[in-house]
Amino acid sequence: MHARQLIAASLGLVAFLGLTGIALDKAFQSSLVNNMEARMERYALAIWDQVNFDRSGRLQIAAIDNLPDARFNNFRSGLYAQLDGPGGSWQSESVKLFSLPKPPPPRFGMPSEFTGPITLPIGEDSDIRAYRYTASTRFDDAPAGPTMITLRIYESEEEIFKQIAEYRKSLWGYLGIAGILLVLVQIAILRWSLQPLRMLETDMKALQDGRQQRLGKIYPNELRPISGSINALIDSERSNLELSRNTLADLAHSLKTPLAVLQSEIENADDPAAFKSEVYTQVQRMNDIVSYQLSRAARSGHALYSAPVDVLPHAESIVQSLEKIYLVRGVLCEFDVDDKAQFSGEPGDLQELLGNFLENAFKWAEHRVLLTVKPVYQAAARRPGLYLCIEDDGKGIAPEDIPKILQRGVRGDERVQGHGIGMAIVQDIIRSYNGELSVDRSQELGGARFTIRLPCLT
């Protein structure tokens, strides 16, 4: 890319400098011709001042040494002058040994004329290219009466060629130096302007090699949309990977309870009909869990405007299963659930919330678990909020351990079987509903207390 831009810019620069040189050359030539015309006009005025007539009326120049240019007195100098009139002719010393072309008949009132270049013979076999200035003036004080005198001045274009050659030498020399300097400046500018692209290329190679995780440098405004899009893509891919891993972990965690119930039923299968019914119930629950986790992974959130779900039936179903699992320990759950309490969301989310918190309470309780569920009303709210509180009479959680148990993959006690992801699952759900989770010690039972507050829908 750098080479292509440099070649393109250099070609444009060469074309620009070339056209500029041609334009300046043409302008200089035109200026030289205009200067020659002005100079020859000054020569004519100076010669007119030297025109005189002798007593016989013959045309003459008063003082040859006072001619405006010394070249008039040098043979074949390239500058020639001739006067013609009724009183004869006069030629400058530079015209000796050859004759200038005869002038056209004089006309009164003929303006001055500048022409050229024309061919001017300066010998038998020698011609030059010259410019001609012609002017006519009437002398009223001539001895023979009013007389029209015609002046012709010729100047070789060789002088112009010499000046043009010197000018071109200087012009193209300076333009060449300017071109080289501009190319060097252009290279420096291109390297400076393309430096962010090289930084981006270096960072992309580092990403591919695994030496960095994302594009973290500050790029110019023009590249920020690109770097931002790349970072967003990287974050999205990592988020999707993390979501897939978490979904599998959440699914495994959610299937723990129904599998434990099945295992308990197998060990205590005294009534075949009850065993069959319980197996069917738990299998159906596992199917619901799998469907819920898959749909949750696909949505990465919860559906809006879900129909409200009664909390009590779901809580009773979960508690019945847990009481069978922890029957040996004699753990029972007490209910303080308002019949009007409803969860404004998906049933699977409610199952996850109640299942994880109640399972933890049963796991750590000595004998008692208390579930409190109440609706939360607010003026002008479209649907009420929800207050859930799960307490147990276990040992409780030390305040310094609370942040630790809320992390994914961390268990409150490493000696107790589990995956340490239950709290992470419920925190994700609570955040998706803009709710709040608090953990402290139960004033009534003395163990841990988990409180969830879900806001009203306005």
Side-chain angles (χ1 to χ4, degrees), residues 275-337:
F275 173 73
K276 181 179 179 180
S277 175
E278 187 62 34
V279 168
Y280 176 80
T281 299
Q282 297 305 322
V283 169
Q284 182 62 39
R285 183 180 176 189
M286 285 190 287
N287 284 331
D288 294 340
I289 289 173
V290 171
S291 299
Y292 162 73
Q293 290 292 353
L294 291 177
S295 62
R296 179 167 172 258
R299 289 191 311 270
S300 298
H302 65 275
L304 297 175
Y305 310 118
S306 300
V309 181
D310 291 331
V311 176
L312 184 58
H314 289 275
E316 290 177 341
S317 174
I318 293 172
V319 168
Q320 288 175 5
S321 299
L322 291 173
E323 286 181 343
K324 290 179 182 179
I325 296 174
Y326 295 94
L327 179 63
V328 178
R329 290 176 49 199
V331 179
L332 297 176
C333 180
E334 302 174 13
F335 281 67
D336 183 10
V337 180

Side-chain angles (χ1 to χ4, degrees), residues 14 40 44 98 103 111 129-130 147 179 186 190 238 257-258 280 289-290 292 345 377 449 454:
V14 169
M40 293 172 78
F98 69 91
R129 301 284 291 175
T147 302
Q186 196 168 246
L190 282 176
R238 288 178 179 158
T257 300
Y280 176 80
I289 289 173
V290 171
Y292 162 73
Y377 297 100
R449 178 172 66 180
L454 302 179

Side-chain angles (χ1 to χ4, degrees), residues 38-56:
R39 184 169 63 250
M40 293 172 78
E41 185 176 357
R42 291 196 302 271
Y43 291 164
L45 293 175
I47 292 175
W48 288 129
D49 290 340
Q50 300 297 323
V51 172
N52 201 352
F53 299 91
D54 60 13
R55 294 180 180 180
S56 61

Side-chain angles (χ1 to χ4, degrees), residues 397-450:
I397 305 172
E400 61 272 14
D401 293 334
I402 292 176
K404 181 176 67 174
I405 67 170
L406 296 179
Q407 299 176 19
R408 178 177 287 270
V410 178
R411 302 198 300 271
D413 190 340
E414 296 295 333
R415 296 170 298 177
V416 179
Q417 184 178 4
H419 299 89
I421 62 173
M423 288 297 100
I425 295 175
V426 296
Q427 285 186 95
D428 291 341
I429 295 174
I430 293 172
R431 277 194 295 267
S432 70
Y433 287 92
N434 298 319
E436 296 178 357
L437 170 65
S438 61
V439 183
D440 56 8
R441 181 171 293 277
S442 171
Q443 299 297 323
E444 182 175 348
L445 301 183
R449 178 172 66 180
F450 292 83

Side-chain angles (χ1 to χ4, degrees), residues 211-232:
R211 289 182 281 110
Q212 65 186 54
Q213 300 300 314
R214 65 201 313 270
L215 301 176
K217 294 181 179 178
I218 299 177
Y219 299 97
N221 294 333
E222 295 81 2
L223 293 181
R224 285 179 184 173
I226 297 177
S227 61
S229 299
I230 293 175
N231 281 334

Side-chain angles (χ1 to χ4, degrees), residues 75-353:
F75 178 64
R76 289 187 176 179
S77 62
L79 183 60
Y80 314 101
Q82 181 170 315
L83 289 167
D84 295 285
S89 298
W90 172 86
Q91 291 180 332
S92 63
E93 293 295 321
S94 57
V95 191
K96 297 300 182 182
L97 302 181
F98 69 91
S99 299
L100 295 175
K102 291 184 178 181
R107 292 179 297 167
F108 289 94
M110 183 181 70
S112 61
E113 181 183 21
F114 179 80
T115 57
I118 61 174
T119 301
L120 178 68
I122 58 174
E124 293 182 359
D125 299 322
S126 181
D127 295 331
I128 64 170
R129 301 284 291 175
Y131 288 87
R132 181 180 66 194
Y133 178 83
T134 304
S136 297
T137 300
R138 190 176 71 172
F139 287 83
D140 295 331
D141 57 350
T147 302
M148 179 66 70
I149 304 297
T150 300
L151 170 64
R152 286 174 294 152
I153 300 175
Y154 296 88
E155 185 169 0
S156 173
E157 67 176 359
E158 183 180 355
E159 292 297 322
I160 291 181
F161 286 157
K162 289 181 180 179
Q163 296 182 53
I164 289 175
E166 291 294 328
Y167 176 76
R168 285 176 177 173
K169 182 179 179 181
S170 300
L171 173 65
W172 295 111
Y174 286 126
L175 286 179
I177 295 173
I180 294 173
L181 292 177
L182 287 175
V183 168
L184 295 177
V185 171
Q186 196 168 246
I187 293 174
I189 292 175
L190 282 176
R191 290 185 61 84
W192 173 74
S193 61
L194 294 178
Q195 185 179 3
L197 286 179
R198 290 195 295 272
M199 292 169 53
L200 181 61
E201 181 184 9
T202 302
D203 288 348
M204 290 298 297
K205 289 181 180 178
L207 280 175
Q208 294 171 357
D209 297 340
R211 289 182 281 110
Q212 65 186 54
Q213 300 300 314
R214 65 201 313 270
L215 301 176
K217 294 181 179 178
I218 299 177
Y219 299 97
N221 294 333
E222 295 81 2
L223 293 181
R224 285 179 184 173
I226 297 177
S227 61
S229 299
I230 293 175
N231 281 334
L233 179 61
I234 294 172
D235 294 341
S236 176
E237 289 299 317
R238 288 178 179 158
S239 176
N240 290 335
L241 179 60
E242 186 69 19
L243 178 62
S244 299
R245 291 172 177 171
N246 292 343
T247 299
L248 292 175
D250 295 349
L251 179 60
H253 183 272
S254 300
L255 292 175
K256 260 194 337 174
T257 300
L259 288 174
V261 174
L262 288 176
Q263 184 178 0
S264 175
E265 286 295 324
I266 292 173
E267 294 173 354
N268 303 282
D270 297 332
D271 185 354
F275 173 73
K276 181 179 179 180
S277 175
E278 187 62 34
V279 168
Y280 176 80
T281 299
Q282 297 305 322
V283 169
Q284 182 62 39
R285 183 180 176 189
M286 285 190 287
N287 284 331
D288 294 340
I289 289 173
V290 171
S291 299
Y292 162 73
Q293 290 292 353
L294 291 177
S295 62
R296 179 167 172 258
R299 289 191 311 270
S300 298
H302 65 275
L304 297 175
Y305 310 118
S306 300
V309 181
D310 291 331
V311 176
L312 184 58
H314 289 275
E316 290 177 341
S317 174
I318 293 172
V319 168
Q320 288 175 5
S321 299
L322 291 173
E323 286 181 343
K324 290 179 182 179
I325 296 174
Y326 295 94
L327 179 63
V328 178
R329 290 176 49 199
V331 179
L332 297 176
C333 180
E334 302 174 13
F335 281 67
D336 183 10
V337 180
D338 193 317
D339 294 338
K340 297 180 181 180
Q342 290 184 321
F343 175 73
S344 297
E346 300 176 31
D349 291 339
L350 178 61
Q351 292 260 13
E352 285 291 335
L353 287 175

